[in-house]
């Protein structure tokens, strides 16, 4: 791949998805986009780039989806789900005792393993949640992975990654060589396509936001901007859950870490009220992006 083509793809991916590729990731683009080019009947990356320059919106979406990492599995990293059961839910059950409702957002829900893991946690707490309304929203940039999530169909390999056997037996049924999560759990999760670069204030406010393993792909200004908007989308006593390699420390003061709970953050009421960095740039990106 020549340098101008690589520079074009880097710029396109950053504008459309926030993906910030370093200068040495040509191999990654080639490994993911060459199969897409061949599938489209093109000889290689150069022809693919030319099609993209011609403005094929369908192909642009396919390129973004091919480059967006969708690696996920049930109860991934375990610790955040321990936090959810042991710290987040007990505190929110006390704090929301009058209204008896909770809203949970998985901001990069991918193929559904994370939101369904949370749904199973909630279901296991059903005795304490009698009469409560629990809403779980799963959003993702990729329509393709959202469709897989809605179907709730997983391979033997996928259900073996992190899913306790007792929950597999309890909440899944075998469909040929696949496993399907039962309708009751599927009905607990709503799905919506969303680009985190764009305004998401229309989603309302949440008590818990899981935003794991997605911000690591963004540049610093984009992270700061998204943190600022996540804080506005959260109840003042809510919880933010980030991935193990992610942090707000050194980036923003709108959230404060819970030192005894790794990866868990709460809104910081004492944070100075100032606009997040890079907002005008992101607004420009949003106007250019089709999604």
């Amino acid at each position: 791949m020549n340098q101008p083509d690589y520079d074009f793809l880097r710029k396109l991916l950053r504008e459309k998805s926030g993906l910030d590729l370093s200068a040495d990731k040509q191999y990654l683009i080639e490994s993911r986009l060459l199969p897409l080019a061949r599938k489209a009947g093109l000889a290689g990356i150069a022809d693919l780039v030319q099609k993209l320059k011609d403005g094929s919106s369908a192909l642009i979406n396919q390129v973004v989806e091919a480059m967006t990492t969708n690696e996920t599995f049930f109860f991934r990293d375990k610790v955040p789900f321990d936090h959810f059961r042991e710290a987040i839910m007990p505190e929110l059950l006390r704090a929301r005792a009058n209204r008896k409702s909770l809203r949970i957002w998985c901001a990069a829900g991918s193929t559904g393993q994370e939101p369904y893991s949370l749904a199973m946690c909630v279901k296991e707490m059903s005795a304490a949640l009698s009469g409560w309304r629990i809403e779980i929203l799963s959003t993702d940039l990729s329509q393709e992975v959202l469709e897989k999530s809605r179907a709730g169909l997983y391979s033997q390999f996928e259900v073996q990654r992190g899913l306790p056997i007792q929950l597999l037996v309890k909440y899944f049924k075998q469909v040929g060589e696949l496993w399907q999560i039962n309708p009751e759990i599927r009905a607990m999760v709503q799905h919506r396509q969303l680009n985190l670069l764009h305004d998401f204030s229309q989603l309302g406010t949440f008590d818990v936001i899981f935003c794991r393993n997605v911000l690591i792909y963004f540049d610093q200004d984009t992270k700061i901007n998204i943190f600022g908007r996540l804080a506005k989308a959260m109840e003042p006593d809510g919880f933010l859950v980030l991935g193990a390699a992610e942090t707000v420390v050194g980036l923003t003061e709108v959230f404060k870490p819970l030192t005894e709970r790794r990866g868990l953050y709460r809104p910081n009421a004492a944070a100075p009220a100032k606009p997040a960095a890079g907002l005008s740039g992101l607004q420009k990106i949003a106007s250019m992006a089709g999604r």
Side-chain angles (χ1 to χ4, degrees):
M1 186 192 327
N2 63 43
Q3 193 62 41
D5 284 353
Y6 183 59
D7 291 342
F8 171 83
L9 288 167
R10 285 179 67 193
K11 183 173 183 290
L12 177 79
L13 289 164
R14 186 172 179 183
E15 288 174 353
K16 298 298 185 184
S17 70
L19 185 63
D20 188 32
L21 291 174
S22 59
D24 60 349
K25 289 290 191 292
Q26 285 96 330
Y27 70 93
L28 181 63
I29 281 189
E30 288 180 350
S31 66
R32 295 197 180 181
L33 296 190
L34 200 51
L36 178 62
R38 299 267 164 79
K39 187 178 175 183
L42 303 170
I45 301 294
D47 290 345
L48 179 68
V49 167
Q50 189 54 54
K51 278 277 188 185
L52 294 170
K53 287 179 177 177
D54 291 342
S56 172
S57 58
L59 198 56
I60 289 171
N61 290 342
Q62 290 174 37
V63 165
V64 170
E65 292 198 1
M67 289 303 302
T68 305
T69 301
N70 296 311
E71 168 73 4
T72 185
F73 48 92
F74 289 101
F75 296 96
R76 181 179 181 180
D77 302 329
K78 187 179 179 294
V79 170
F81 300 94
D82 292 341
H83 291 342
F84 183 73
R85 285 183 290 249
E86 298 165 8
I88 295 174
M89 288 301 284
E91 179 159 340
L92 289 177
L93 282 174
R94 291 190 294 270
R96 306 289 186 267
N98 289 333
R99 81 178 198 205
K100 289 187 180 294
S101 67
L102 288 174
R103 299 189 76 221
I104 302 165
W105 176 21
C106 292
S110 190
T111 46
Q113 286 93 325
E114 179 176 270
Y116 288 138
S117 294
L118 290 171
M120 285 184 275
C121 288
V122 168
K123 190 67 178 171
E124 291 290 293
M125 301 174 68
S126 56
L129 292 169
S130 177
W132 283 65
R133 181 177 180 273
I134 311 294
E135 179 184 342
I136 302 172
L137 175 66
S138 177
T139 65
D140 200 276
L141 173 67
S142 169
Q143 188 62 47
E144 184 180 346
V145 300
L146 287 173
E147 287 169 6
K148 178 175 168 64
S149 180
R150 284 190 189 96
L153 273 169
Y154 300 97
S155 67
Q156 184 72 38
F157 174 72
E158 287 171 320
V159 297
Q160 285 175 335
R161 299 184 76 195
L163 183 65
I165 186 66
Q166 67 269 26
L167 296 183
L168 175 64
V169 171
K170 193 171 183 179
Y171 295 120
F172 289 74
K173 68 173 183 179
Q174 198 153 12
V175 181
E177 295 182 354
L178 301 175
W179 292 86
Q180 186 166 39
I181 200 159
N182 72 28
E184 190 177 11
I185 300 295
R186 292 208 310 275
M188 292 173 68
V189 178
Q190 302 172 39
H191 295 86
R192 183 164 175 175
Q193 188 176 22
L194 180 80
N195 188 334
L196 285 174
L197 294 183
H198 298 178
D199 175 41
F200 47 73
S201 59
Q202 75 280 3
L203 299 180
T205 55
F206 296 87
D207 304 287
V208 185
I209 298 177
F210 272 62
C211 187
R212 301 199 304 142
N213 307 309
V214 61
L215 296 180
I216 52 174
Y217 301 108
F218 296 160
D219 63 36
Q220 182 167 307
D221 282 353
T222 306
K223 288 177 187 175
I224 292 168
N225 175 267
I226 291 175
F227 280 134
R229 291 184 292 125
L230 287 174
K232 291 177 182 176
M234 181 176 287
E235 297 283 0
D237 59 347
F239 292 87
L240 172 69
V241 186
L242 297 179
E246 298 163 327
T247 184
V248 304
V249 178
L251 285 176
T252 178
E253 295 180 0
V254 295
F255 289 102
K256 55 187 176 184
L258 273 66
T259 51
E260 72 281 8
R261 295 274 180 181
R262 179 173 58 85
L264 200 55
Y265 302 82
R266 306 203 75 171
N268 185 7
K274 60 182 181 181
L279 182 60
S280 60
L282 276 177
Q283 287 174 331
K284 182 181 177 184
I285 288 171
S287 68
M288 296 170 66
R291 295 160 47 163

